Amino acid sequence: MTEQRGGPVDESCVLPEGPWTHRFVGANGSRFHVVEAGTGPMVLFLHGFPEYWLAWRDLLPAVADAGFRAVAVDLRGYGASDKPPRGYDGYTLAADVAGLIRALGERSATLVGAGAGGLIAWTVASFHPTLVRRLVVLGAPHPLRLRAAIFADPRGQFAASTPALKFQLPRYEHVLTRDNAAEVEAILRRWGGPQWVDGPDFAAYARCCREAMQIPQAAFCALEGYRWAFRSVLRLHGYRFVRLMQKPLVTPTLQLHGALDPASLPRTAQGSGRYVTAPYEWRLLDGVGHFPHVEAKDLVLGEILRWTKS
């Protein structure tokens, strides 16, 4: 895949052929691009920032081969999904996923979320518990743990979150896409574990993420979720969100976290189990950063299948 030099990037760059099917599905008033493989109980994958559905490229066929319907989605504003100017609050993003499960003809699904997608997965399980059969979260503390740690741990999680404070700046999306979205690769490099960043697969993956972020409006939309998260702290609907998220989760939850994650610190994530009354497991992954699903694919695949089948 070649780097784009000037001019907008077409959405076709996120539609590679492979052992999967590309579809467009209407849900919650928007059109979503989903990538699907296999048949059986559904496992729905939610990518993080600054990624898109391709984060799950190696896991999709393997999960399908294990007897499941594996579906990865471009979240609202990313990849080939719709990019409306609004709707990046926690309520709407959770409603998007709930609507997708129904629109795909399922009563419930195992939800697998990474990074920002993991925060959404926590929220879906809290707001729509009957739709989430099992939950697997990678590199994402429970939203209330993250919020508390930002205020209570100034030298830890607050310092780790300061790069996201830059996302609050107006028109920062132009910084994100400058020089063929070089900042996207810089973020992947900062947040990833050294073994992956220095390994043979990093450059090609970073190039794909850079290209996808140059799709018109994608960078603006990707930052809007972070902007809502910070601004909602001072607003009534943010207070209501916190109140709703305090309801204990009744979904069996597996939490995998990189020991070297510099974006969501392990000590921030480790207290998330207090919000789960169902069976809960925590596993710290040695040598792994913020992207376990691409840094330690085989390990993560085994854990997802174990949890989904148990």
Side-chain angles (χ1 to χ4, degrees):
M1 189 176 294
T2 57
E3 290 189 14
Q4 297 292 319
R5 301 285 178 186
V9 173
D10 189 83
E11 287 183 354
S12 61
C13 73
V14 301
L15 304 173
E17 294 183 1
W20 47 63
T21 302
H22 294 277
R23 291 177 57 194
F24 290 89
V25 179
N28 199 31
S30 292
R31 188 185 76 150
F32 293 90
H33 168 229
V34 300
V35 184
E36 188 172 354
T39 58
M42 188 165 78
V43 181
L44 181 59
F45 294 90
L46 311 179
H47 65 82
F49 172 89
E51 304 173 286
Y52 63 108
W53 79 265
L54 199 75
W56 311 106
R57 171 180 56 191
D58 295 318
L59 270 65
L60 278 178
V63 171
D65 289 345
F68 295 95
R69 181 187 184 189
V71 181
V73 59
D74 281 333
L75 295 170
R76 172 184 293 255
Y78 286 86
S81 290
D82 278 355
K83 299 169 183 64
R86 295 179 181 82
Y88 301 93
D89 57 276
Y91 305 96
T92 305
L93 293 172
D96 286 348
V97 177
L100 266 172
I101 293 171
R102 297 189 188 100
L104 289 165
E106 301 284 349
R107 285 180 159 185
S108 64
T110 293
L111 212 53
V112 182
L119 295 173
I120 295 170
W122 281 115
T123 309
V124 178
S126 182
F127 288 6
H128 309 278
T130 60
L131 293 177
V132 185
R133 190 165 54 249
R134 286 186 170 262
L135 179 64
V136 182
V137 182
L138 303 94
H142 187 279
L144 299 191
R145 267 299 296 159
L146 179 59
R147 185 178 288 229
I150 287 173
F151 292 104
D153 189 6
R155 293 186 178 181
Q157 190 57 56
F158 179 82
S161 301
T162 49
L165 287 172
K166 295 179 183 177
F167 299 166
Q168 308 300 307
L169 297 173
R171 304 178 72 80
Y172 190 80
E173 55 269 20
H174 298 301
V175 176
L176 202 58
T177 55
R178 186 184 299 155
D179 299 328
N180 300 312
E183 180 62 18
V184 168
E185 181 168 342
I187 291 169
L188 291 168
R189 194 174 293 277
R190 280 198 302 272
W191 290 356
Q195 190 172 353
W196 174 60
V197 168
D198 297 332
D201 300 329
F202 176 80
Y205 185 67
R207 190 160 58 244
C208 291
C209 291
R210 287 174 65 174
E211 191 171 23
M213 195 62 75
Q214 294 176 76
I215 295 170
Q217 299 304 313
F220 168 80
C221 297
L223 298 181
E224 280 295 279
Y226 285 91
R227 289 166 175 163
W228 177 83
F230 277 92
R231 294 170 187 172
S232 67
V233 172
L234 304 174
R235 296 178 180 174
L236 181 59
H237 64 118
Y239 172 74
R240 289 176 181 152
F241 181 80
V242 169
R243 290 288 300 274
L244 289 168
M245 286 299 296
Q246 287 172 347
K247 183 180 178 182
L249 262 70
V250 296
T251 303
T253 301
L254 171 65
Q255 189 170 8
L256 307 175
H257 208 90
L260 303 180
D261 189 337
S264 299
L265 300 184
R267 68 181 189 234
T268 298
Q270 200 157 12
S272 301
R274 72 181 63 173
Y275 296 102
V276 184
T277 57
Y280 169 83
E281 285 189 23
W282 158 269
R283 182 170 180 185
L284 195 63
L285 309 180
D286 291 335
V288 174
H290 187 60
F291 307 100
H293 48 293
V294 289
E295 297 183 46
K297 290 175 282 197
D298 292 342
L299 189 156
V300 168
L301 171 64
E303 288 294 285
I304 290 172
L305 294 179
R306 177 183 69 85
W307 196 250
T308 304
K309 291 177 177 179
S310 64

